[in-house]
């Protein structure tokens, strides 16, 4: 099963509830260290379009994952700040509730599209990412270089 929450930051009446249940820090704190974190940056399609990202947090043995999609906050280096729903750059959260085999397929699809593990895309490893983003500090961002995504 796949559940999609589009434009979560625009649901002002529900923002506190959504933040508590679906923010990146809430997912990490509730479910613990994921088995894999993948990042994909999609360069501009046109000169005046935005650079977007996909951040997938995978819990393969448990058979679920959460994918955050949005617009890159700034460039040179690329700065991705998915920590809070008040960030209007977060456009979609997708929940994958299936089984471990489906999570392996999801990872394969993301790798095929050009996603990289958090270790390959940034200077932080899985443990560093978990520590930084489970803290609830809304100022935490992912930094990656545009050269990796061309």
């Amino acid at each position: 099963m796949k559940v999609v929450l589009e434009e979560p930051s625009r649901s002002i009446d529900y923002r506190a509830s959504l933040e508590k249940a679906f923010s990146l820090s809430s997912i990490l704190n509730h479910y613990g260290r994921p088995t894999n974190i993948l990042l994909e940056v999609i360069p501009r399609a046109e000169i005046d379009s935005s650079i977007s990202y996909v951040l997938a947090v995978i819990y393969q043995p448990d058979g679920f994952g959460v994918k955050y999609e949005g617009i890159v906050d700034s460039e040179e280096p690329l700065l991705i700040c998915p920590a809070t729903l008040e960030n209007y750059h977060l456009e979609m959260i997708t929940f994958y509730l299936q089984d471990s085999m489906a999570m392996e397929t999801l990872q394969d699809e993301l790798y095929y599209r050009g996603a990289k593990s958090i270790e390959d895309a940034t200077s932080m490893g899985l443990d560093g990412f978990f520590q930084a983003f489970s803290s609830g500090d809304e100022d935490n961002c992912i930094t990656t270089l545009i050269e990796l995504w061309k």
Side-chain angles (χ1 to χ4, degrees), residues 63-138:
F64 79 95
V66 183
K67 191 166 72 171
Y68 298 88
E69 298 179 59
I71 304 299
V72 170
D73 290 75
S74 65
E75 299 178 44
E76 298 183 37
L78 296 175
L79 201 59
I80 300 165
C81 306
T84 177
L85 294 180
E86 289 186 21
N87 174 348
Y88 285 94
H89 291 141
L90 180 61
E91 296 183 328
M92 186 180 314
I93 302 173
T94 306
F95 302 92
Y96 296 87
L97 310 168
Q98 295 166 328
D99 58 27
S100 61
M101 192 59 127
M103 291 307 98
E104 189 172 323
T105 301
L106 174 61
Q107 289 179 97
D108 290 345
E109 288 172 9
L110 289 168
Y111 279 129
Y112 180 77
R113 288 179 23 181
K116 300 176 182 350
S117 68
I118 200 70
E119 296 91 348
D120 291 340
T122 70
S123 61
M124 65 175 69
L126 193 59
D127 289 328
F129 181 94
F130 178 74
Q131 289 175 353
F133 287 94
S134 63
S135 72
D137 183 352
E138 296 176 2

Side-chain angles (χ1 to χ4, degrees), residues 1 11 36 59-60 76 78 98 131 138 146-147:
M1 176 170 69
S11 303
N36 202 358
Y59 293 85
Q60 187 169 359
E76 298 183 37
L78 296 175
Q98 295 166 328
Q131 289 175 353
E138 296 176 2
I146 190 71
E147 290 80 28

